[in-house]
Amino acid sequence: MRELKLTNTLTGEREIFQPIDPERVTMYVCGPTVYNLAHIGNARPVVVFDMLNRVLRELYPSVIYARNITDIDDKIINAARERGQAIDAVSTEFADKYREDVAALNTLTPDLEPHATDNIPAMIDLTERLIKAGNAYPADGHVLFAVESMPGYGALSGRKLEDMLAGARVEVADYKRHAGDFVLWKPSAADEPGWDSPWGRGRPGWHLECSAMIRAHLGDAIDIHGGGRDLIFPHHENERAQSCCAYGGDFVRYWVHNAYVDMDGEKMSKSLGNVRTIRDLLSSYHGEVLRFALLSAHYRSPLNFSQELLDSAKSALDGFYAALRNNQDVEPAHINVTDCVAFDALLDDLNTPESIAALHAASKALNKAIDADRAKAKGMLLACGTALGILQVDPEVWFTGGGDNDLSADVIDKLIAERRDAKANRDFARADQIRDELIAAGIVLEDSPEGTIWRRA
RNA sequence: GGCUCGGUGGCAGAGUGGUGAUGCAGCGGAUUGCAAAUCCGUAUACAGCGGUUCGAUUCCGCUCCGAGCCUCCA
């Protein structure tokens, strides 16, 4: 078996991936809090870990990929109040939309999609364990995790308790023994959602669900835990503290975190008004364009999202589809994904830019291939596309689909026929006039010895 | 202030102790009635200053600049 290398946040090193059980690889990725539409920044981890999921599935017989839905959270409570809706109406609506949006990015559906509200007993059980073990304490209706009770607290994010105190700029609740103690369980007011617990009616703190659901659905320890790098602290640090103290063991073997998406060089934020939702972008761009754009930089590097990025992603995909379209009559040879030139780069810490370079090479090889080599070259390009989760559309549809409100295919075909006749009569003025009109309408013509094809620009 | 990560050609973006990826844009060709697409060729880079080395963009140190996290956040 070929080796997969991953950069582990815990060690800071690029390590060879060795699963706990090669027959059952487990990966958990932090999913959405469902209170609004997912934006393009949310899409990056989804696509990145979809890539990792795909690679793992090629390498191992069984992979269990879980991505949670956080459907109880103060942000959801607030959204429900603002909209005058029930909390589960809000969470259901946005969970559904989230699934639709990320499916459009050619991401495979996770094997498990645990919901926080379905796992409250497991969270209460976890909290009780932590109290019993001396790692947590009830105070003022809350239950808090005592960070000083864990010797290695801070190891994941590379910080020490004393350092964090120096930087503390938030008012510390007086019921906390240590400023770094975090909430496991908190009380709910009468108008807030809550569940009965040994500490009264309340709801879980943010970090609790992932620890409890990983244990409940995947086991004491998992191979990979992923998410955006902003989650390293406090979320994953605290998850790790909960799980290690309650269940022992190492909890997670490989922590993998992706960098942010910036918008035109600035951080994406509501106050800057530069948040772009996946849904909005999908109205202008095919999901493959967004996916390709998100994969164009290495996952651990910041990605600057811009018009230029989208345009270049679109034109790159157009190039690949053009190569396929020009060989539409060629039956592709079957080539395993693991045998394609784009796959090796993915084994090296998901080096998608290098993988894309291989894709370009495969595309060029197909364009240059002599007849005897076309089947193999086409199969190679398709396998590379599959490795990256792109090129899943019929090329003809890619170029001529959509644009329902513009010129219809029939009208375009008639104009092309008229131009063909004009050219046959050497009436190039008329032929060029037709072509110019079509260009003005967003239709580009390409002549070849076999005839004229068209595409929407 | 503490911690972490970066600064590569016009732009995007990999990688490497010694033959300077890849894409877009540019330039020159082939092809085309002219284009488009495709193919061929080609210029431009490794923030700065030291150090290690036969040799550094790649390792080490310092400086400058930028980004992120420090208990809402992909």
Side-chain angles (χ1 to χ4, degrees), chain A residues 283-335:
Chain A
S283 67
S284 306
Y285 295 92
H286 194 282
E288 283 198 7
V289 173
L290 303 182
R291 181 182 178 97
F292 191 87
L294 289 168
L295 293 176
S296 65
H298 186 91
Y299 75 89
R300 284 187 298 107
S301 297
L303 176 70
N304 189 30
F305 208 79
S306 64
Q307 187 62 51
E308 292 71 38
L309 178 70
L310 288 165
D311 290 345
S312 71
K314 167 76 161 61
S315 66
L317 285 168
D318 280 347
F320 304 139
Y321 276 112
L324 293 173
R325 189 190 202 190
N326 292 333
N327 291 277
Q328 204 144 25
D329 53 337
V330 175
E331 183 63 30
H334 178 75
I335 292 177

Side-chain angles (χ1 to χ4, degrees), chain A residues 91-376:
Chain A
S91 62
T92 300
E93 175 187 339
F94 288 111
D96 288 345
K97 285 179 172 169
Y98 178 83
R99 291 189 195 94
E100 288 173 18
D101 291 345
V102 301
L105 303 177
N106 286 359
T107 58
L108 304 175
T109 305
D111 303 286
L112 299 172
E113 205 172 54
H115 287 55
T117 54
D118 293 334
N119 291 271
I120 300 291
M123 297 187 221
I124 291 173
D125 177 70
L126 170 55
T127 304
E128 287 186 309
R129 276 174 180 261
L130 288 169
I131 293 173
K132 200 174 295 179
N135 296 108
Y137 58 95
D140 199 23
H142 297 65
V143 181
L144 295 155
F145 186 94
V147 291
E148 289 170 304
S149 71
M150 184 189 185
Y153 184 80
L156 178 64
S157 53
R159 58 190 78 202
K160 297 172 182 150
L161 280 176
E162 14 332 343
D163 294 340
M164 286 187 284
L165 273 184
R169 63 186 185 201
V170 175
E171 220 174 295
V172 178
D174 55 10
Y175 51 78
K176 288 188 179 181
R177 292 181 189 167
H178 185 280
D181 291 355
F182 57 90
V183 171
L184 299 172
W185 190 265
K186 59 183 167 186
S188 289
D191 62 341
E192 291 171 336
W195 290 261
D196 290 329
S197 80
W199 317 284
R201 184 172 172 281
R203 59 190 191 276
W206 175 35
H207 317 299
L208 194 61
E209 62 171 284
C210 293
S211 286
M213 294 195 291
I214 285 172
R215 159 86 169 185
H217 297 280
L218 297 175
D220 281 358
I222 58 172
D223 293 308
I224 296 168
H225 191 136
R229 64 176 307 152
D230 56 309
L231 294 180
I232 295 171
F233 191 89
H235 185 52
H236 287 164
E237 189 72 69
N238 291 350
E239 259 186 61
R240 183 168 177 271
Q242 293 163 355
S243 292
C244 289
C245 289
Y247 308 125
D250 292 333
F251 182 39
V252 171
R253 287 175 74 106
Y254 303 91
W255 290 92
V256 181
H257 294 98
N258 63 275
Y260 284 95
V261 174
D262 294 327
M263 296 299 286
D264 298 311
E266 290 185 301
K267 182 175 176 174
M268 183 166 29
S269 74
K270 280 182 184 167
S271 57
L272 288 169
N274 59 0
V275 174
R276 297 290 302 275
T277 64
I278 302 173
R279 192 155 283 243
D280 172 38
L281 288 161
L282 283 171
S283 67
S284 306
Y285 295 92
H286 194 282
E288 283 198 7
V289 173
L290 303 182
R291 181 182 178 97
F292 191 87
L294 289 168
L295 293 176
S296 65
H298 186 91
Y299 75 89
R300 284 187 298 107
S301 297
L303 176 70
N304 189 30
F305 208 79
S306 64
Q307 187 62 51
E308 292 71 38
L309 178 70
L310 288 165
D311 290 345
S312 71
K314 167 76 161 61
S315 66
L317 285 168
D318 280 347
F320 304 139
Y321 276 112
L324 293 173
R325 189 190 202 190
N326 292 333
N327 291 277
Q328 204 144 25
D329 53 337
V330 175
E331 183 63 30
H334 178 75
I335 292 177
N336 288 326
V337 168
T338 50
D339 293 330
C340 81
V341 290
F343 189 73
D344 281 341
L346 299 177
L347 294 175
D348 183 16
D349 200 25
L350 299 180
N351 192 334
T352 50
E354 194 175 317
S355 187
I356 288 170
L359 189 68
H360 282 289
S363 179
K364 178 170 282 194
L366 176 57
N367 282 327
K368 292 172 65 174
I370 58 171
D371 287 349
D373 297 336
R374 283 182 202 282
K376 195 175 169 190

